[in-house]
Amino acid sequence: MQRNTRQRAAILDVLSRQDDFRSAQQIHEQARTDGQGVGLATVYRTLQALAGAGEVDVLVTDDGESIFRQCADAAHHHHLVCRECGRTVEFQAPEMEEWTRQMAARHGFTDVHHTMEIFGLCPDHTAPAADA
Amino acid sequence: MQRNTRQRAAILDVLSRQDDFRSAQQIHEQARTDGQGVGLATVYRTLQALAGAGEVDVLVTDDGESIFRQCADAAHHHHLVCRECGRTVEFQAPEMEEWTRQMAARHGFTDVHHTMEIFGLCPDHTAPAADA
DNA sequence: ATATGTGCAAATGCTTTGCAACGCC
DNA sequence: GGCGTTGCAAAGCATTTGCACATAT
């Protein structure tokens, strides 16, 4: 049901060599650069499938763009992401998990999931001094 | 510099009577229903201004849509939101604030901000039993 | 052989913007 | 009166989809 196409391999290849969160368009361009051209629609479709299968993590940026990453940790975790270059640090927050679960339960919410991501500028992209 | 127009008042009015997170389009429609028609572009522009001024909170849903709400607590806080109706519970997580700050600092990230929202189904919208 | 995947281009949906008319201060 | 504001419609963007063609199994 899930075929082994050249395109799929190309996308997985880009993902496996990418340590940062990247948009579909960036991944598309990268595959293209690697000489493994893939249609943009295919990139979207494949990423969607991978995300659905839990093989890649998806984050929605403040401006509504989805960015993807093949994470090292298969378990549930969160991210510290550079909003400039996508550089990422994975981390877990077990206390938090429990905490949010209780919060949801206390208010009778079901089928919950939470987002908890930290966006900032990594050491290499610290904001230029805004000297007047 | 910020004028008192009928439109602005209409939008603020809708917001003040709205306890849930709503999209710009929903707010636009509501104003319209209230007999206080406002152009959609104006709604977007006004919400953007209000958000920038910190007078309303903005959340980005999983599908990239922005939803707005005039929050009771002016201080930094988080939300438990019903993904079906927008119903919201505000809450704070002081331990978390400190926690994320340290996490960012430890990795040399600056100018950070974090998102931490819980999405689920409120008691009134619990998923229909998926009985086979 | 056949269902699935792919590519293109058109369509979608949210949001932004150009520009002339409008109205607060 | 002047400058921010509004409205409309067009433009912009990321993403999705229809459909004919290619291809993995």
Side-chain angles (χ1 to χ4, degrees):
Chain A
M1 31 169 290
Q2 191 62 290
R3 292 180 181 176
N4 247 34
T5 67
R6 197 207 88 234
Q7 292 84 340
R8 187 181 182 79
I11 293 171
L12 283 170
D13 186 54
V14 170
L15 286 170
S16 70
R17 284 203 309 247
Q18 209 69 74
D19 184 46
D20 310 332
F21 267 96
R22 289 287 149 78
S23 70
Q25 317 237 15
Q26 289 176 310
I27 290 168
H28 169 251
E29 192 179 346
Q30 182 60 55
R32 207 170 184 295
T33 300
D34 293 352
Q36 290 290 336
V38 177
L40 182 54
T42 298
V43 173
Y44 275 106
R45 282 189 279 234
T46 303
L47 286 173
Q48 191 173 283
L50 290 171
E55 291 177 48
V56 297
D57 275 25
V58 192
L59 252 53
V60 179
T61 67
D62 289 341
D63 41 273
E65 191 181 33
S66 292
I67 50 181
F68 308 80
R69 179 175 189 263
Q70 197 171 44
C71 285
D73 195 336
H76 178 71
H77 60 271
H78 299 279
H79 311 92
L80 167 57
V81 185
C82 175
R83 86 171 73 91
E84 201 55 53
C85 69
R87 179 168 158 186
T88 301
V89 177
E90 296 179 36
F91 66 88
Q92 291 192 297
E95 316 142 12
M96 271 265 329
E97 308 300 333
E98 177 56 20
W99 204 81
T100 62
R101 180 173 25 244
Q102 290 182 2
M103 169 69 58
R106 185 182 326 153
H107 292 279
F109 276 58
T110 56
D111 193 12
V112 303
H113 76 271
H114 59 272
T115 67
M116 160 168 177
E117 313 298 342
I118 310 178
F119 289 95
L121 296 173
C122 74
D124 294 348
H125 294 90
T126 291
D131 51 81
Chain B
M1 30 172 294
Q2 190 62 290
R3 291 180 182 174
N4 248 31
T5 65
R6 197 207 87 235
Q7 292 83 339
R8 187 181 182 78
I11 294 171
L12 282 169
D13 185 54
V14 171
L15 285 170
S16 71
R17 285 203 310 249
Q18 209 68 74
D19 184 48
D20 309 333
F21 267 97
R22 288 286 149 79
S23 70
Q25 318 236 14
Q26 289 176 311
I27 290 168
H28 168 251
E29 192 179 347
Q30 183 60 55
R32 205 171 186 295
T33 300
D34 293 351
Q36 290 290 338
V38 179
L40 181 55
T42 298
V43 174
Y44 275 106
R45 281 189 281 235
T46 303
L47 287 173
Q48 190 173 283
L50 290 172
E55 291 176 48
V56 297
D57 275 25
V58 193
L59 252 52
V60 180
T61 66
D62 289 341
D63 42 272
E65 191 181 33
S66 292
I67 50 181
F68 308 80
R69 179 175 190 264
Q70 197 172 43
C71 285
D73 195 337
H76 177 72
H77 60 271
H78 299 278
H79 310 93
L80 168 57
V81 186
C82 174
R83 87 172 71 91
E84 201 55 53
C85 68
R87 178 167 158 186
T88 301
V89 176
E90 295 178 38
F91 66 88
Q92 292 193 296
E95 315 143 12
M96 269 265 329
E97 309 299 333
E98 178 56 21
W99 204 81
T100 63
R101 181 174 22 246
Q102 290 183 1
M103 168 69 58
R106 186 182 324 154
H107 292 279
F109 276 58
T110 57
D111 194 13
V112 302
H113 77 271
H114 59 273
T115 66
M116 160 168 178
E117 312 300 341
I118 311 179
F119 289 95
L121 297 173
C122 74
D124 294 348
H125 294 90
T126 291
D131 52 80

